[in-house]
Amino acid sequence: MSALSSRNFDRRTALRAALGLAAAGGLAACGSNTGRGGGSGDGLVQYFHAYGEAGVEQAVKRYAKAYDKADVTTQWITGNNFEQKLFAALLTDNAPDVFEFHPQIQMVKSGQVADLTDIIDPVKDDFNPADIKSHTVDGKIYGVRMIDDPQFLFYRPSLFEKAKVEVPTTLEELIEAADKLTTSKVKGIFLGNDLTSVDRPLIWSAGADTLTADNKPAFNTDAVADGLKQLRGLFTSGNLLLDAPADSWDPSALIQGLTAIQWCGMWAMPAMQKALGDDIGIFPFPKVGSAGKQSVYNGGWSMFVNAKGKNVEAAKEYVKWLWIDQKKYQEDFATSYGFHIPPRTSLAESATKLKSGLPAEGVKLFNEFGHFDNIGWTQAMIAAFWDVIANTVRKDGDPKAALDACEKKVDAELKKLFG
């Protein structure tokens, strides 16, 4: 996942993506084409976003080169607008045959992604059941999970000791800790430059959810409103790092000593350990309100087949070969370039790099507190909740009014999708 998670692209892109594939129609096709589109019959094209860790691009191209049934070209999309370029390209003759993204129901409803049930079914029981569920619509599976990416609050134990701070388990305790840890040189905490990184953890930790099991809004609760109020207090306290040189997906704020606590993902552990040695710990997003429970957001990336491409069967065969048959490559991808959890249970259990120390602690928190993407929680809904954060935490808007407005927008989207 690394360089970008589903929530870490800029707001303009998010809103563009929110309007769905059709809205991208006016955009130019992606400029990094080989001129040999997916439909040309002489090969397959796959799209990847630019991962932040060194070696990922070379690994992805190495796997593709090892495939002997088709010539596979990789488009490595740099910059913050992977989604925008992907959605634009999908509307052209140069659309990729295979691409990575996150499970999104509108891509299923619009017929953009191919049903992969037949290639996943034989090994379905070896996948984390939550990864299967988050890619399933009406009993069909649309996408193969490649990596699971749990996200936590990382902290410097030495700074906690110095400030006599315990690891917080509630949002109140986190805000108090940030106050005690803040000095003239170091801010107490960094939650990303626009705070949208903690959108879903805030909901889950408050004992709520994005949607109910029957796809109704479930986030508009008093506990979520209280959590937003508390974050507003943190925002105005002077203890929150704002406008860091890189966003929360990048570990540099913690590594450079700009903050004592940082929201980030498991992928950044090797870089943090290299820079800070043993002076690094993790804890889940804390409990919000009396009915809440700590939470760990599990992001990640999945591989999809373009159902509107001209090489659907060949593309499915390649995806099966790489992301289902080649366990050696799957483990390499998950553990050699930053740490990720393989979605295959057998690989997650055998991956030696995840068996001890901080990575093992990450796996433990993932198993105990993990929440996965909901395929029905679309980009439009994500953008609507980001507006809530902007209007209540960054500005001083009323949380209940903002949540009510968001619920109306989400309801309208749900009606479009489910009638």
Side-chain angles (χ1 to χ4, degrees):
M1 156 175 183
S2 70
L4 292 165
S5 80
S6 55
R7 71 273 310 276
N8 286 341
F9 49 100
D10 66 47
R11 284 197 63 75
R12 194 189 63 235
T13 304
L15 294 170
R16 172 76 80 168
L19 301 172
L21 297 172
L27 296 170
C30 174
S32 57
N33 271 304
T34 55
R36 188 187 53 179
S40 62
D42 61 347
L44 300 171
V45 174
Q46 60 178 355
Y47 268 32
F48 276 78
H49 83 280
Y51 285 68
E53 301 83 8
V56 188
E57 181 180 3
Q58 291 77 7
V60 165
K61 290 177 175 175
R62 191 173 72 245
Y63 310 151
K65 199 176 175 189
Y67 187 60
D68 59 11
K69 291 193 178 166
D71 176 20
V72 182
T73 305
T74 304
Q75 297 292 341
W76 194 252
I77 313 292
T78 56
N80 278 341
N81 55 350
F82 172 71
E83 285 80 1
Q84 191 175 334
K85 286 182 175 175
L86 170 65
F87 286 174
L90 285 170
L91 295 167
T92 72
D93 290 338
N94 283 318
D97 301 284
V98 173
F99 58 91
E100 62 169 1
F101 200 58
H102 316 286
Q104 295 266 309
I105 198 164
Q106 74 272 28
M107 295 178 81
V108 175
K109 297 269 182 184
S110 67
Q112 187 68 66
V113 291
D115 173 8
L116 303 183
T117 313
D118 57 335
I119 65 171
I120 296 170
D121 246 353
V123 291
K124 190 170 116 176
D125 294 345
D126 189 35
F127 273 86
N128 187 318
D131 278 322
I132 294 293
K133 187 184 172 191
S134 67
H135 291 70
T136 300
V137 178
D138 298 332
K140 292 175 180 172
I141 308 166
Y142 295 88
V144 183
R145 192 61 142 186
M146 306 184 298
I147 42 175
D148 283 326
D149 274 328
Q151 293 162 41
F152 324 96
L153 287 155
F154 287 77
Y155 72 100
R156 300 278 303 275
S158 63
L159 299 179
F160 272 49
E161 210 173 305
K162 199 173 166 188
K164 298 186 168 52
V165 171
E166 296 291 317
V167 173
T169 57
T170 68
L171 188 54
E172 287 92 344
E173 288 170 2
L174 181 69
I175 290 166
E176 280 168 33
D179 187 48
K180 288 181 185 166
L181 290 159
T182 298
T183 67
S184 59
K185 294 191 175 77
V186 181
K187 291 291 186 186
I189 188 166
F190 178 49
L191 297 174
N193 285 329
D194 61 6
L195 281 78
T196 55
S197 298
V198 296
D199 57 351
R200 280 163 273 190
L202 177 72
I203 293 170
W204 295 320
S205 284
D209 208 340
T210 50
L211 301 171
T212 62
D214 60 347
N215 294 308
K216 303 277 189 301
F219 55 85
N220 188 358
T221 69
D222 291 343
V224 173
D226 286 344
L228 290 162
K229 270 185 207 148
Q230 289 180 358
L231 285 181
R232 170 68 186 169
L234 175 63
F235 183 79
T236 57
S237 68
N239 302 325
L240 184 68
L241 176 64
L242 297 163
D243 305 316
D247 216 331
S248 62
W249 57 263
D250 184 296
S252 57
L254 197 75
I255 288 172
Q256 291 168 13
L258 304 178
T259 184
I261 305 171
Q262 176 181 340
W263 180 260
C264 199
M266 190 159 155
W267 58 85
M269 278 181 186
M272 289 188 188
Q273 288 174 317
K274 190 178 174 187
L276 302 169
D278 289 337
D279 191 21
I280 188 86
I282 52 173
F283 59 95
F285 195 85
K287 177 177 151 169
V288 178
S290 55
K293 187 188 175 187
Q294 293 164 287
S295 69
V296 168
Y297 173 65
N298 175 49
W301 290 87
S302 309
M303 194 48 71
F304 297 90
V305 169
N306 177 9
K308 296 177 178 177
K310 294 185 182 137
N311 296 316
V312 177
E313 288 311 312
K316 278 175 67 174
E317 207 173 325
Y318 172 64
V319 168
K320 177 184 181 294
W321 174 83
L322 180 50
W323 298 110
I324 290 173
D325 300 340
Q326 301 301 314
K327 283 180 139 188
K328 184 180 69 174
Y329 291 151
Q330 291 156 37
E331 182 172 350
D332 179 64
F333 190 69
T335 63
S336 297
Y337 320 94
F339 294 142
H340 316 261
I341 298 174
R344 301 283 288 273
T345 313
S346 57
L347 284 178
E349 286 170 356
S350 68
T352 49
K353 290 178 183 175
L354 306 181
K355 282 193 188 298
S356 60
L358 202 62
E361 178 68 13
V363 173
K364 184 170 167 277
L365 293 179
F366 163 84
N367 287 330
E368 190 175 348
F369 299 111
H371 290 262
F372 288 67
D373 286 315
N374 182 329
I375 197 167
W377 186 248
T378 64
Q379 297 299 155
M381 297 174 201
I382 291 167
F385 196 82
W386 285 357
D387 285 341
V388 173
I389 292 174
N391 292 330
T392 62
V393 180
R394 296 181 73 86
K395 299 172 193 163
D396 197 16
D398 175 53
K400 206 73 189 90
L403 287 167
D404 287 345
C406 182
E407 184 169 358
K408 278 189 185 139
K409 286 181 194 168
V410 170
D411 251 334
E413 286 300 314
L414 289 167
K415 286 195 174 70
K416 272 192 254 175
L417 289 167
F418 300 105

